[in-house]
Amino acid sequence: MNKIETSFLHKDQFGDNFLWGVSTAAFQIEGAHDADGKGTSIWDVFTSQKGKIKNGHHAITACDFYNSYQTDIDLINELNIPNFRFSISWPRIMPTGIHPVNQAGIDYYNKIIDSVLAAGVEPWITLYHWDLPHALETKGGWTNRESVSWFSEYVAVCAEHFGDRVKNWMVINEPSVFTGAGYFLGIHAPGKKGITNYLKAMHHVTLATAAGAKILRNKIPEANIGTTFSCTHIEPATESLKDVEAAKRVDTLLNRTFIEPILGLGYPQADLPVLKKLNNYILEDDLNNLAFDFDFIGLQCYTREVVKSAMLIPYIGAELISAEKRNVISTDMGWEVYPPALYHVLKKFNNYKGIKKIIITENGAAFPDVLTNGKVYDIKRTHYIQDHLEQILKAKKDGFNVEGYFVWSLTDNFEWAEGYNARFGLIHVDFETQQRTIKHSGLWFRDFLS
């Protein structure tokens, strides 16, 4: 293959130990929704409900990774990508969410892990990437305090079966997103709404994050254990005190609420008073059990948000001014393309003393890709990745702690409520034929990593 033109970036600038990878999630790629004893997840149920997903899309087949995983692992190898982040589907391992264990699910992930290792690629497992077993949701899901025990059981099973070969673990993916969208706004599975559902889910998920990490540490003492947080650079719309304070509340909600208790700092209730309602659900010893000394923290940053005061908006008294209203360049998700956001987020999280190492575990962009004569010339995505890598380089030069970068995502996939409309992949997928085509961005990344 011919070399793709390069920017001035060179991977050596990032240091020999910098981690390069690509990220995926089980529900978004696997398909095979009921194969080999898999239980139903909250997303299987949510996608089957009318009007929940754009164009009525579902993930029954998705990218068919369940059957075509070897093809995709070969492509990771072809792209010179040394680290592959993927998640385990809880209902494949435990169809009802608790014992008994489904041996076919264990066998499947053993095949994936062995295949990844055979390709000379390092597996990075995410234990929870949003696909809660539906059987547990009927008992309240994350709003039920027992969810901490359910999750702990599941983590123990995964550690016992996969810990001999998998050294890198992420406990929970983006808790602010799946609790906010799934239990407060109702726009993601399980579609619950309201502040009570949200606060209960928030607290139990945070407890479960630390509990899961402790089980990994106990069962795989040498493991590299992290967890991932969605984060966004927040700016006030104006310098007015109202807007500045509104931006601070939004920043507290999106960037601080989940990381601070994990670091032993408790919930940031002083800066977001609605969080005081959490005290209704915090039991004795909970605050001690929220903290864990993670080996690394995964940050997932895509954009910035500009915030103005809006006192009629309950709990937060603020609203986001969309990229469209601000007339700025944006992606297919309506997210502003603003690479300095990544620098600002790294600066912010470097101020926390308790974080040992930061890895960017997701960053990428959805654009309207067109397959023409067997090629996808996604120059906007290529530039997006290059521009964000330049911000990481700037952060490293300024002494910030950042030691890895994983692109979201390997392939186009089922993008939750957006269905198949938003394409994030380095590899194009024709969802009718499952044909894979490496995009220009993927070829650029391949050459960059070679």
Side-chain angles (χ1 to χ4, degrees):
M1 265 181 190
N2 294 332
K3 275 261 188 194
I4 297 294
E5 83 279 353
T6 52
S7 66
F8 74 86
L9 287 166
H10 195 281
K11 80 167 186 184
D12 290 353
Q13 294 167 292
F14 294 81
D16 292 344
N17 297 321
F18 195 81
L19 295 156
W20 299 99
V22 68
S23 295
T24 60
F27 188 79
Q28 295 180 266
I29 62 172
E30 284 181 359
H33 71 296
D34 60 357
D36 300 326
K38 176 185 169 288
T40 302
S41 81
I42 54 172
W43 273 95
D44 290 313
V45 173
F46 192 72
T47 52
S48 70
Q49 294 168 0
K50 202 169 178 194
K52 298 293 186 190
I53 312 296
K54 207 179 265 191
N55 300 123
H57 289 167
H58 55 70
I60 288 171
T61 309
C63 310
D64 196 34
F65 182 81
Y66 190 78
N67 297 302
S68 57
Y69 64 87
Q70 192 58 57
T71 302
D72 287 347
I73 292 165
D74 289 345
L75 285 165
I76 293 169
N77 200 12
E78 188 181 327
L79 294 178
N80 300 319
I81 296 168
N83 298 287
F84 176 38
R85 177 182 174 217
F86 59 95
S87 76
I88 289 179
S89 165
W90 185 348
R92 270 198 211 289
I93 300 292
M94 301 165 99
T96 61
I98 53 176
H99 287 281
V101 171
N102 173 30
Q103 187 58 43
I106 300 289
D107 294 345
Y108 170 66
Y109 289 108
N110 275 327
K111 286 191 295 191
I112 300 287
I113 292 161
D114 291 344
S115 176
V116 170
L117 289 167
V121 173
E122 199 62 38
W124 292 65
I125 281 180
T126 308
L127 285 161
Y128 185 76
H129 203 128
W130 305 4
D131 47 358
L132 186 75
H134 175 65
L136 299 182
E137 186 53 43
T138 63
K139 301 175 186 176
W142 290 111
T143 66
N144 184 339
R145 197 179 168 91
E146 279 189 47
S147 56
V148 181
S149 311
W150 302 331
F151 183 67
S152 297
E153 261 183 55
Y154 159 66
V155 174
V157 169
C158 291
E160 282 157 14
H161 285 92
F162 312 129
D164 58 328
R165 287 150 295 151
V166 178
K167 298 296 168 247
N168 303 292
W169 296 82
M170 300 179 200
V171 182
I172 284 183
N173 183 74
E174 293 189 337
S176 67
V177 179
F178 75 82
T179 57
Y183 287 88
F184 181 63
L185 299 173
I187 55 173
H188 278 185
K192 284 184 171 167
K193 291 182 181 174
I195 193 72
T196 302
N197 285 324
Y198 172 59
L199 292 170
K200 284 182 182 174
M202 173 196 293
H203 185 51
H204 301 148
V205 165
T206 307
L207 281 168
T209 305
K214 284 169 189 165
I215 289 163
L216 289 174
R217 179 67 76 228
N218 182 34
K219 292 191 177 290
I220 323 165
E222 299 304 305
N224 181 37
I225 302 169
T227 196
T228 81
F229 298 98
S230 164
C231 47
T232 305
H233 175 52
I234 308 294
E235 290 183 13
T238 72
E239 291 304 302
S240 75
L241 186 60
K242 276 184 176 176
D243 285 352
V244 169
E245 288 180 344
K248 186 174 184 180
R249 290 191 295 274
V250 172
D251 177 64
T252 303
L253 178 68
L254 297 184
N255 294 324
R256 297 175 53 199
T257 298
F258 287 87
I259 183 90
E260 292 189 2
I262 287 286
L263 296 174
L265 303 171
Y267 293 107
Q269 294 175 330
D271 290 326
L272 189 61
V274 70
L275 295 180
K276 289 178 181 161
K277 291 177 184 279
L278 279 168
N279 297 339
N280 298 329
Y281 315 112
I282 295 174
L283 304 186
E284 197 183 354
D285 241 23
D286 274 7
L287 292 177
N288 294 327
N289 291 329
L290 290 172
F292 182 80
D293 187 19
F294 280 99
D295 297 312
F296 71 93
I297 294 298
L299 297 183
Q300 312 193 161
C301 174
Y302 292 88
T303 188
R304 75 165 165 177
E305 297 289 359
V306 174
V307 173
K308 70 175 180 181
S309 171
M311 293 325 287
L312 295 177
I313 307 272
Y315 311 120
I316 195 93
E319 69 176 314
L320 307 178
I321 306 173
S322 69
E324 188 180 17
K325 275 189 185 153
R326 289 184 283 125
N327 202 20
V328 291
I329 296 166
S330 61
T331 70
D332 262 13
M333 297 291 284
W335 301 343
E336 180 185 5
V337 176
Y338 186 73
L342 192 52
Y343 177 88
H344 291 302
V345 157
L346 285 168
K347 185 176 183 179
K348 180 183 185 65
F349 281 81
N350 263 268
N351 288 327
Y352 287 117
K353 297 283 180 281
I355 297 178
K356 291 180 183 169
K357 182 190 290 190
I358 292 171
I359 298 171
I360 301 301
T361 40
E362 284 183 25
N363 173 252
F367 290 113
D369 299 323
V370 181
L371 182 64
T372 312
N373 300 326
K375 287 186 166 56
V376 180
Y377 195 64
D378 61 332
I379 198 68
K380 284 183 180 173
R381 182 176 295 101
T382 307
H383 287 160
Y384 180 98
I385 293 170
Q386 290 169 347
D387 292 346
H388 284 76
L389 288 179
E390 285 173 16
Q391 294 295 321
I392 290 178
L393 209 50
K394 182 182 175 199
K396 281 183 78 70
K397 282 176 180 161
D398 287 348
F400 299 160
N401 164 9
V402 54
E403 300 193 27
Y405 177 82
F406 285 63
V407 178
W408 182 271
S409 180
L410 174 65
T411 54
D412 295 334
N413 59 33
F414 178 81
E415 194 49 51
W416 308 113
E418 298 297 314
Y420 297 103
N421 297 286
R423 292 179 176 270
F424 276 89
L426 296 174
I427 297 167
H428 181 276
V429 177
D430 180 325
F431 292 104
E432 299 296 314
T433 65
Q434 295 299 334
Q435 176 68 37
R436 268 66 164 158
T437 305
I438 300 172
K439 302 177 189 176
H440 179 278
S441 58
L443 297 172
W444 178 83
F445 202 46
R446 175 202 68 185
D447 291 347
F448 172 78
L449 294 176
S450 66

